[in-house]
Amino acid sequence: MTLNIKYFGLIAEITNCNEETLDFSEGSGSCLLELLFQKYPALVGIDFQIAQDHKIISKNTMITGAELALLPPFSGG
Amino acid sequence: MGRYDRHIMLKEVGHEGQLELSNAKVLIVGAGGLGCPILQYLTAAGVGTIGIIDFDVVEISNLQRQILFKTSDIGINKALAAKKQLQDLNPTITIEAYPERLTSKNALQLCAAYDVVVDGTDNFVTRYLINDAVVKTGKPQVYGAIFKFEGQLSVFNYQAGPTYRCLFPTPPEAGSIPSCSEVGVVGVLPGIIGTQQANEVIKIILGIGKVLSGRLMIYNALQSSFTEIKLNKTVVEVFNKEEFLKFDYQMGNL
């Protein structure tokens, strides 16, 4: 399936884009992370949450949604 | 014409709402980029009691975005400098300045004394401290955080809704997410996010509209876009009161 992934904050700096489409065979959030870590090794060790169709999901959740987002925490104020 | 005339004209506010604002007590943690517009709008709106806690002093590099302060404030504690400017804006309200750090020793007492706690801090340690203190005291937390050209906004612990720990259960590794002082921030961004935090505070006090609870709003100033993410309550409580008071809030411990 084709996933549309949005990147925020530090994540978007690492991927060098705000969003992109990725081909993804099937699997959980962990499988998606594996794919992303392969493509962007600098993401390893960065804290973020995954949202699927605008809802936060765990790494065990199956990826079914067309739209994903990687959300890092922001500290600034 | 009265000071709050334009509010009173609104059917969503009226005389009754303006009275609710004047009876409300709001604590703002951090008088920085976010804190300045939050404080200015809540003061102008006539929130009756405003608490400001910040241990830091005004520096020249703050003036690019912390628009409450003047060049003559450099070197002065931010809570005290803010109080002076704000009291001139609205002498009819009470402003309490706390020129100190928020710690696990003073957080419960301070949060308990206010109706709403606004998170305008610039570090993860204080964000988790505020989270745990508002959960303990049952107060809503109006959250804002910024990174370069992006901002996050939400209302946590509102009517037993999701908390900051439901979004990010534990803090990132120390130093893995840079702060504004390390990577910069566009000056208007905290103005945009802080003004929205002030708006959420006013909605909470007046009980109008749809409070941004259970939702995280992310704003991108370069794209001029908003993204909304739904949040569920996943974390209930981390510490009991004794544990909280003893806990040493610092990175690595949280």
Side-chain angles (χ1 to χ4, degrees):
Chain A
M1 66 181 125
T2 305
L3 302 176
N4 182 29
I5 308 194
K6 287 187 171 180
Y7 303 117
F8 293 91
L10 190 61
I11 310 279
E13 295 203 330
I14 291 170
T15 61
N16 206 25
C17 60
N18 290 309
E19 59 184 302
E20 67 178 335
T21 53
L22 282 183
D23 281 329
F24 183 68
S25 50
E26 207 179 14
S28 64
S30 298
C31 303
L32 175 69
L33 287 179
E34 221 169 277
L35 177 76
L36 288 167
F37 289 160
Q38 239 167 32
K39 191 168 182 194
Y40 305 107
L43 283 182
V44 178
I46 303 289
D47 276 273
F48 57 85
Q49 295 284 11
I50 307 171
Q52 173 161 256
D53 287 336
H54 299 266
K55 279 181 205 146
I56 303 279
I57 58 165
S58 80
K59 284 174 186 164
N60 304 324
T61 307
M62 289 302 285
I63 299 298
T64 55
E67 190 173 316
L68 289 131
L70 302 194
L71 315 166
F74 294 168
S75 75
Chain B
M1 292 296 248
R3 180 182 285 268
Y4 306 118
D5 212 54
R6 300 298 187 275
H7 263 171
I8 291 167
M9 282 176 185
L10 297 168
K11 71 173 170 39
E12 291 82 356
V13 184
H15 284 286
E16 200 177 307
Q18 195 58 49
L19 191 64
E20 284 174 343
L21 287 170
S22 77
N23 287 334
K25 297 177 174 187
V26 179
L27 178 68
I28 289 92
V29 185
L34 294 170
C36 284
I38 297 165
L39 286 163
Q40 283 168 297
Y41 274 110
L42 295 182
T43 298
V47 169
T49 305
I50 291 180
I52 314 164
I53 180 163
D54 200 316
F55 71 94
D56 218 351
V57 297
V58 179
E59 293 177 34
I60 194 163
S61 64
N62 298 152
L63 302 181
Q64 159 259 19
R65 64 197 180 286
Q66 299 179 21
I67 53 169
L68 177 56
F69 303 125
K70 315 285 182 237
T71 304
S72 56
D73 291 323
I74 291 170
I76 299 173
N77 170 269
K78 287 185 179 178
L80 297 173
K83 177 179 168 151
K84 184 168 159 269
Q85 300 286 358
L86 295 167
Q87 206 72 82
D88 194 30
L89 170 60
N90 191 345
T92 71
I93 66 164
T94 302
I95 300 171
E96 302 281 358
Y98 307 97
E100 58 195 273
R101 251 178 221 281
L102 188 77
T103 68
S104 58
K105 305 288 176 288
N106 61 14
L108 294 183
Q109 203 179 349
L110 272 170
C111 291
Y114 290 86
D115 305 316
V116 181
V117 179
V118 188
D119 178 356
T121 61
D122 61 358
N123 66 86
F124 288 115
V125 170
T126 315
R127 292 190 188 284
Y128 282 88
L129 171 62
I130 294 171
N131 174 83
D132 298 348
V134 297
V135 169
K136 276 265 144 303
T137 52
K139 306 291 176 166
Q141 170 192 2
V142 179
Y143 162 82
I146 52 177
F147 178 83
K148 291 189 176 182
F149 292 91
E150 290 174 59
Q152 294 176 345
L153 181 79
S154 191
V155 176
F156 295 125
N157 204 44
Y158 177 71
Q159 296 177 346
T163 69
Y164 184 56
R165 282 190 190 269
C166 299
L167 172 60
F168 298 114
T170 53
E173 290 282 314
S176 68
I177 303 283
S179 68
C180 296
S181 63
E182 292 166 310
V183 295
V185 63
V186 66
V188 296
L189 178 68
I192 294 167
I193 301 298
T195 303
Q196 294 192 70
Q197 287 178 274
N199 181 44
E200 293 302 317
V201 172
I202 289 168
K203 282 159 58 186
I204 291 169
I205 294 168
L206 296 177
I208 57 171
K210 189 178 170 192
V211 171
L212 193 65
S213 167
R215 297 181 285 156
L216 175 73
M217 190 83 90
I218 309 166
Y219 173 68
N220 185 319
L222 287 178
Q223 310 291 326
S224 292
S225 65
F226 285 96
T227 304
E228 192 177 301
I229 306 289
K230 286 193 179 68
L231 303 174
N232 287 323
K233 184 146 181 157
T234 51
V235 178
V236 180
E237 204 160 344
V238 180
F239 300 119
N240 66 37
K241 192 178 170 188
E242 285 66 37
E243 284 168 342
F244 177 88
L245 288 171
K246 280 191 207 144
F247 191 75
D248 180 18
Y249 276 83
Q250 55 175 298
M251 290 303 274
N253 274 1
L254 294 161

